[in-house]
Amino acid sequence: GSSQVTVNTVQIVNTQYPIGVSLASNPQLNNVTFTSTGINALMILDETLSSDATLRKKNIAGITNIAYFASNFTIATDATLTVEAGVVVKLSGIITVNGALHADGTAGQIVFTSQRDDSRSGDANNDGNTTTPAKGNWGWIVFNSSSRDSVNLLKNCLISYAGVRPYYTTDYSHYGAVLVNNARMIIDSCEFSNHAYSAICVIGSASPVITNCLINNTTYTPVTMSMFSNPTFSNNTAQNVGLMALGIIPETYAVDDTIPVRSFAGYDTITYYLYVCAPQWSMYYIVNSGTTITVPEGLTFKGEGDITVDGALRVEGTAAKPVVFTHTADDLYGTPRDLEGNGSGTKPGYSQYAQNGNYSAFISFTDASLDTLCEVHHALFRYKNTSILLQQSSPEIIGCTFQNSYNGVRLNGVSNPVLDSCTFDNLGEAPMVFSLTSYPSSTVADSLSGSTYRGLRILDETLAQNATLTKRMFAGISNIPYIMGTYTVGTSAVLTVAPGVTVKFIKGGILTIHKSLIARGGSTPDSTIVFTSLFDNYYNGDTPRDTIVKKAVDAWTADDIWVSWYGYVNGWNSIDFENEAIDPQCVFDHCVIRGARYGIYTVSASPSISYSAVSKNLNGVYCTGASNPVINYCDIHGNFTYGINNFDKSFNIDARYNWWGDNGGPRSSIHRSGLGDTVSDSVNYALFTGTGAANPRMGDVSLNGKIQAYDAALILKHLVGSITLNATQLRVADVSGTAGITAFDASLILQYLVDSISTFPSELAKISTVSLAAQSFRADYGLLSLANKASGRISFGTPEMVDGTCRVPVVFADVANAVSYDLKISFKGSQVHYLSATDNLGKGLFEANAGDSIIHLCYAGTGMIGATDTVVMLAFSVPGGSSDAVLNVERLIINETDLTSKIGPEAQRPVRLPESFEFSYVNKGVNGVIRYALPKASIVTLELFSMQGKLVRTIEQGEKQAGYHTMQISAACGRGRVLARGAYFCRMNAGTWKKAILVTIGR
């Protein structure tokens, strides 16, 4: 209690705790000696202090300023404990302050430390060097909200070796030697040293003033806090901390707010560290329903914590100051960048695997989130399984970069976000994973780069409603392939695959059909449906971007694909039709199935397969149970074990009118002379055809028996390096008969299809020029003879910067007799990234492929390219707007005329911002064009004045990106009534820069 006893001349022998004292007592202990005692200290009783008291320095048993030992004690709401300057308290537990603790060590440092710390008030635990202090020896000092919390003070105190975490604690609210829980206090000129977690933890609405403190050697962040607590930081220093950031406690946010931009320990806009949200702890950063949280530009978040949005989240980054979400070990971003302070000691990475079905994502928008208020603008996401996870939600995602992660965005349920102007760079897999009931409502100006798969990953799911796979344009890739893993069409669903779609399967991938799969391609250009391996570069190019590591499927041998009968290296598994599948609704027509363990696998199911190519599988078609498919008019060849294996032989399968890889037909138990694919018994292969892919026509590059625009497209893909044609294809692709495979060959195929020519030059060359037959082809000579008559020059137009993207026109001039071109452009420089190339002619086939600093472009058409035409628009991202990059034309072939040696200096262009302001006008008749250049982002105002100097109209006002800009001037420009014809002055203001020029309207 509050005893004030005096004790004189006492010897205490063989006692663990020689003297125990209440906080309220103040005993006078004179001439006391300790002999063989457990501790040489005063033991504070475990109690609740209910009245004001002072803890004073005492000299006892020959010990000057004897230490106080304490495990746990509490200061009640109506009590204040004052600690006298110089007092040393050695702890093993927790001090709970429900009233006030006032510790002013101005006259002598006050110490709160471990009971094993012999550096203050000696060897109080009386064990010599047997024990030494360590992080986590005791708990913490917690300051709770009270009517007395304005008295709370820690000044000139040393707090050491705290941070023990009780086994029952399942959150981060105890991460601190000093915990400020919804309370006020001052922490001034204190030293925090050697703590297991953080030095200070600020919880809820706490508003401590923390000044002039030194934080040294904490395992995690120097401060852990609630995001919207209100600490004041000034003149603090932190060193040797595990994570130089402000650690954020997982909480639920239920009040609209904007995340503050904070400074700490000399770091402005310091990084926020999001602690891991362990599922078993049920801890997340949750934006509650009905709540809007705003993230301002320039903030960086590191760590493994996930933000779950049930309300609204607005990430308002800008191109100049994006919001960054990244890995703890990522030293390229944040303040400071090296959060761990270990140089290159750790490397960032991501896991491609889900833990307990929980796909890790920086931000998860749930079905409850308010789509109209949710936006993620100009954010950078790095090193995560999935950066943004959508659970039946549709936020607006614009201008974001997804980098060095596994996937970019994952769409579950029915999610239709806006996904515009986003960059997917060096991902481990596809830019997007989506359910077939989901797809972005907009995908304008997205781009793929680095190792990112050039394909869209379909979510592993069971389809419960009808869906159609259609051709899609994404990131400038027309008809981008779909990627499947394990996908199931349920008993209530029909999956329809539109003509021309390509589906690529990951290693071991399988498509299982319980009701219906309708895959009807066609004979029109690019209408063949393809089911193949992810590593098949022949169709839709190098989807996984690993050409150096993997070989195209055409180069595979059996040993490359198959390890054993049951194992495979790169192949997928099969398309499985289960017993409950509805046979009339299971159709393959004009399809390609290849690179699988079982191309088509039936379990008492009977799909129809016609006009399709089933090749390079372990088994082409494998039938079990009561299966009776109809397989007619197909190319079945190159399958390693069986072209068709009727395993149970319940029916005699109709497989007539097929080509088996050899004109002599398939090999079977009764037709051993056949050199084509092997078929089992109970397969009717009668009336097999003697022509097929091994004996193609000139121009039939796809080897499907028909000449189509697709054949021309394959030539262009081969030229730019997206695919590699095999020897047979190369032979029939050279329809000009000269110069090898060129874009002109593709043009000739297109001309043949529109009846501009009736034969190919390679076929004319076989006919005697004096024969009557040759004369019948004279009508073709005009177009056939263009190969070496083309001419023209090439240059680059003026670059334009639009929202951080530099667009550079490629211009042809003085062009004659041109129907095709083959163009290589280099871009050399460290601060430029190629995004896309867009065909500007729009009247032929176009292919582009970019490698290491080289862009390869090919075009083929049926009509002439104009004498002066912008043929291609190149797009680059230029971080910061400036670049040392230079574009150079390395090769120019028009038709089959090589003009590379005639490339002039105009075929070179720096990719950078203008160096000065520019303002000009070009009169183009009724409508003129204003052009202006900005060396930096500026507020631009364009005003029209009458010749008398009167302001007529403001036609443009607002912030513009650095770069080149154009604007049309006409009688209807700006807002308001139509302008009168005549001359006007147009004045441009860009910050302090001004210039006026003369323009005309209506002439």
Side-chain angles (χ1 to χ4, degrees):
S2 56
S3 302
Q4 304 294 316
V5 300
T6 299
V7 178
N8 294 313
T9 314
V10 174
Q11 183 178 10
I12 301 174
V13 181
N14 292 327
T15 302
Q16 178 65 26
Y17 303 109
I19 300 175
V21 296
S22 169
L23 290 170
S25 67
N26 184 26
Q28 302 300 311
L29 305 172
N30 302 317
N31 197 23
V32 174
T33 59
F34 296 162
T35 303
S36 300
T37 54
I39 63 171
N40 294 328
L42 300 180
M43 186 69 191
I44 296 175
L45 303 178
D46 288 0
E47 62 174 0
T48 297
L49 177 66
S50 58
S51 60
D52 294 351
T54 299
L55 197 61
R56 295 178 170 86
K57 289 174 60 177
K58 293 186 179 294
N59 302 324
I60 298 174
I63 303 171
T64 301
N65 190 18
I66 193 169
Y68 288 92
F69 261 35
S71 53
N72 302 289
F73 66 83
T74 300
I75 302 170
T77 56
D78 296 327
T80 298
L81 176 64
T82 301
V83 182
E84 189 176 75
V87 166
V88 176
V89 182
K90 298 188 176 184
L91 294 148
S92 62
I94 300 169
I95 299 175
T96 302
V97 182
N98 295 326
L101 175 63
H102 191 87
D104 186 351
T106 302
Q109 191 178 54
I110 296 170
V111 177
F112 298 91
T113 189
S114 165
Q115 293 179 356
R116 300 176 180 180
D117 184 359
D118 298 345
S119 67
R120 305 290 176 147
S121 295
D123 183 13
N125 63 348
N126 203 21
D127 67 349
N129 293 324
T130 302
T131 59
T132 55
K135 296 176 181 179
N137 279 168
W138 59 283
W140 53 81
I141 306 171
V142 55
F143 292 83
N144 293 317
S145 177
S146 78
S147 60
R148 293 192 174 201
D149 60 9
S150 61
V151 180
N152 286 332
L153 173 68
L154 293 176
K155 184 172 184 180
N156 195 26
C157 296
L158 170 65
I159 301 100
S160 300
Y161 302 112
V164 65
R165 187 173 186 178
Y167 71 90
Y168 56 81
T169 300
T170 58
D171 59 35
Y172 296 100
S173 62
H174 297 283
Y175 267 35
V178 173
L179 277 66
V180 190
N181 182 20
N182 295 299
R184 295 175 293 169
M185 72 174 302
I186 294 173
I187 305 174
D188 182 17
S189 303
C190 291
E191 180 181 347
F192 294 84
S193 179
N194 297 296
H195 295 296
Y197 298 102
S198 295
I200 303 169
C201 186
V202 185
I203 305 170
S205 60
S207 56
V209 177
I210 304 169
T211 59
N212 305 310
C213 291
L214 170 63
I215 298 173
N216 179 50
N217 201 17
T218 60
T219 301
Y220 294 107
T221 59
V223 175
T224 295
M225 59 187 293
S226 297
M227 179 62 81
F228 297 109
S229 59
N230 297 293
T232 300
F233 300 119
S234 64
N235 198 35
N236 298 296
T237 303
Q239 58 190 24
N240 298 322
V241 296
L243 302 168
M244 180 54 77
L246 294 178
I248 303 301
I249 297 170
E251 292 177 309
T252 296
Y253 306 126
V255 177
D256 294 355
D257 214 331
T258 297
I259 293 178
V261 178
R262 292 184 167 100
S263 298
F264 180 79
Y267 296 105
D268 294 332
T269 316
I270 191 169
T271 297
Y272 287 118
Y273 179 77
L274 303 181
Y275 285 102
V276 63
C277 297
Q280 66 270 26
W281 294 349
S282 298
M283 291 188 306
Y284 299 91
Y285 300 88
I286 298 175
V287 180
N288 210 9
S289 179
T291 302
T292 299
I293 298 298
T294 301
V295 183
E297 65 179 16
L299 287 182
T300 298
F301 298 88
K302 292 188 178 183
E304 296 299 322
D306 301 340
I307 301 171
T308 299
V309 183
D310 293 327
L313 179 69
R314 301 180 65 85
V315 179
E316 298 181 344
T318 62
K321 293 183 178 180
V323 175
V324 178
F325 298 86
T326 189
H327 193 280
T328 305
D330 185 354
D331 296 345
L332 290 182
Y333 296 93
T335 306
R337 293 189 175 185
D338 185 7
L339 179 146
E340 297 171 296
N342 63 351
S344 58
T346 57
K347 300 292 185 182
Y350 62 85
S351 171
Q352 70 186 73
Y353 303 103
Q355 300 297 323
N356 301 321
N358 175 42
Y359 285 87
S360 175
F362 283 117
I363 303 174
S364 297
F365 291 93
T366 71
D367 187 25
S369 62
L370 188 57
D371 293 341
T372 56
L373 293 180
C374 290
E375 64 178 41
V376 184
H377 288 181
H378 295 287
L380 171 61
F381 299 91
R382 288 162 58 87
Y383 300 108
K384 198 70 167 178
N385 179 297
T386 297
S387 297
I388 298 178
L389 175 63
L390 306 181
Q391 302 277 6
Q392 298 209 149
S393 57
S394 302
E396 186 177 81
I397 305 169
I398 296 178
C400 294
T401 298
F402 303 89
Q403 195 172 61
N404 299 109
S405 298
Y406 193 60
N407 299 116
V409 183
R410 187 180 184 91
L411 285 64
N412 289 338
V414 181
S415 298
N416 306 113
V418 172
L419 188 66
D420 289 347
S421 302
C422 292
T423 299
F424 301 87
D425 178 48
N426 277 320
L427 300 183
E429 204 206 46
M432 180 170 61
V433 182
F434 63 99
S435 166
L436 287 190
T437 57
S438 296
Y439 198 77
S441 60
S442 177
T443 57
V444 175
D446 294 320
S447 64
L448 309 178
S449 58
S451 60
T452 306
Y453 285 14
R454 271 47 171 183
L456 301 178
R457 178 73 153 88
I458 296 173
L459 185 71
D460 293 343
E461 63 179 355
T462 297
L463 184 66
Q465 57 184 284
N466 295 349
T468 300
L469 284 178
T470 61
K471 282 186 175 183
R472 295 191 186 275
M473 164 79 78
F474 186 83
I477 302 174
S478 60
N479 193 22
I480 190 167
Y482 294 99
I483 302 170
M484 272 191 179
T486 300
Y487 198 86
T488 301
V489 178
T491 56
S492 61
V494 176
L495 176 60
T496 302
V497 184
V501 165
T502 295
V503 179
K504 294 189 173 185
F505 290 85
I506 67 171
K507 176 182 174 181
I510 183 171
L511 172 60
T512 303
I513 311 300
H514 290 280
K515 183 182 179 182
S516 174
L517 171 67
I518 299 175
R520 278 200 176 95
S523 57
T524 56
D526 299 333
S527 62
T528 301
I529 296 171
V530 177
F531 300 93
T532 187
S533 165
L534 174 65
F535 304 107
D536 184 349
N537 298 344
Y538 180 80
Y539 290 100
N540 296 75
D542 180 14
T543 301
R545 309 300 289 176
D546 63 351
T547 304
I548 296 175
V549 179
K550 301 289 193 306
K551 291 183 286 187
V553 71
D554 268 355
W556 286 354
T557 65
D559 292 336
D560 290 324
I561 303 176
W562 311 108
V563 176
S564 67
W565 182 272
Y566 298 103
Y568 39 81
V569 176
N570 297 322
W572 52 291
N573 195 65
S574 59
I575 301 175
D576 280 13
F577 291 89
E578 297 299 312
N579 183 32
E580 57 267 39
I582 300 175
D583 293 340
Q585 296 182 24
C586 296
V587 177
F588 293 94
D589 182 72
H590 288 90
C591 296
V592 170
I593 302 101
R594 67 184 202 163
R597 182 180 179 187
Y598 304 99
I600 298 172
Y601 189 101
T602 65
V603 181
S604 297
S606 304
S608 63
I609 308 163
S610 59
Y611 299 101
S612 296
V614 183
S615 65
K616 296 186 181 297
N617 305 285
L618 180 62
N619 292 274
V621 182
Y622 193 92
C623 304
T624 65
S627 296
N628 189 24
V630 176
I631 310 168
N632 299 149
Y633 306 106
C634 295
D635 283 1
I636 304 172
H637 62 96
N639 298 289
F640 184 51
T641 54
Y642 283 94
I644 300 176
N645 187 353
N646 188 357
F647 186 78
D648 289 307
K649 304 176 180 60
S650 301
F651 294 93
N652 192 34
I653 292 174
D654 181 358
R656 296 172 296 166
Y657 317 118
N658 298 308
W659 183 72
W660 299 90
D662 184 81
N663 295 344
R667 180 179 179 84
S668 71
S669 61
I670 60 175
H671 188 229
R672 298 182 183 277
S673 62
L675 299 178
D677 273 21
T678 300
V679 298
S680 70
D681 294 338
S682 298
V683 175
N684 179 12
Y685 54 84
L687 303 177
F688 55 82
T689 62
T691 60
N695 190 27
R697 300 166 55 191
M698 288 301 295
D700 180 16
V701 183
S702 65
L703 309 181
N704 65 353
K706 300 180 288 291
I707 299 177
Q708 304 166 292
Y710 183 51
D711 298 301
L714 291 177
I715 291 174
L716 299 186
K717 290 176 184 291
H718 170 79
L719 290 173
V720 300
S722 296
I723 64 171
T724 301
L725 300 179
N726 62 30
T728 302
Q729 291 173 307
L730 291 173
R731 175 171 58 81
V732 298
D734 186 13
V735 294
S736 73
T738 59
I741 311 303
T742 66
F744 186 63
D745 292 309
S747 172
L748 290 174
I749 291 174
L750 296 177
Q751 293 171 39
Y752 177 87
L753 291 172
V754 298
D755 293 328
S756 294
I757 60 175
S758 58
T759 191
F760 296 122
S762 60
E763 294 173 323
L764 277 176
K766 300 175 183 177
I767 303 173
S768 169
T769 56
V770 298
S771 70
L772 292 175
Q775 296 179 27
S776 67
F777 296 112
R778 286 179 179 173
D780 298 335
Y781 286 170
L783 287 172
L784 291 175
S785 62
L786 293 177
N788 297 304
K789 290 185 177 181
S791 61
R793 295 183 293 108
I794 188 171
S795 63
F796 293 106
T798 303
E800 290 186 5
M801 286 285 183
V802 180
D803 294 331
T805 298
C806 180
R807 302 186 185 278
V808 184
V810 180
V811 181
F812 279 2
D814 302 329
V815 172
N817 301 318
V819 290
S820 67
Y821 65 76
D822 185 333
L823 180 61
K824 278 190 177 181
I825 297 172
S826 66
F827 56 105
K828 300 175 181 177
S830 59
Q831 295 299 315
V832 64
H833 304 289
Y834 168 76
L835 296 178
S836 64
T838 305
D839 174 40
N840 204 58
L841 295 174
K843 51 189 178 183
L845 296 178
F846 173 79
E847 289 292 334
N849 192 24
D852 294 335
S853 301
I854 288 288
I855 309 166
H856 198 163
L857 312 167
C858 282
Y859 168 86
T862 58
M864 298 294 182
I865 299 172
T868 300
D869 259 327
T870 296
V871 294
V872 177
M873 187 67 71
L874 301 177
F876 302 88
S877 68
V878 185
S882 62
S883 169
D884 57 353
V886 176
L887 298 180
N888 283 286
V889 177
E890 305 291 343
R891 181 168 84 181
L892 173 61
I893 299 174
I894 299 181
N895 296 348
E896 292 185 344
T897 304
D898 193 336
L899 301 173
T900 304
S901 62
K902 297 181 180 181
I903 294 173
E906 68 275 11
Q908 185 180 82
R909 167 69 71 175
V911 182
R912 65 170 67 98
L913 290 179
E915 297 179 355
S916 61
F917 290 97
E918 300 172 15
F919 187 36
S920 62
Y921 170 74
V922 177
N923 190 339
K924 293 193 173 182
V926 176
N927 298 327
V929 174
I930 282 177
R931 294 191 176 101
Y932 60 93
L934 304 175
K936 61 182 179 180
S938 306
I939 302 296
V940 174
T941 303
L942 296 176
E943 299 169 311
L944 287 181
F945 292 86
S946 68
M947 298 302 291
Q948 291 74 36
K950 181 181 178 180
L951 177 63
V952 176
R953 181 168 299 169
T954 299
I955 60 174
E956 183 78 284
Q957 189 170 39
E959 183 174 3
K960 297 293 182 182
Q961 296 286 337
Y964 298 91
H965 303 266
T966 60
M967 181 179 181
Q968 191 176 77
I969 295 292
S970 68
C973 66
R975 294 183 178 179
R977 293 182 299 176
V978 173
L979 295 170
R981 296 182 179 182
Y984 295 83
F985 285 110
C986 183
R987 183 176 70 184
M988 171 180 164
N989 294 348
T992 59
W993 187 88
K994 298 180 180 181
K995 183 178 179 180
I997 57 177
L998 185 67
V999 302
T1000 58
I1001 289 178
R1003 295 182 181 176

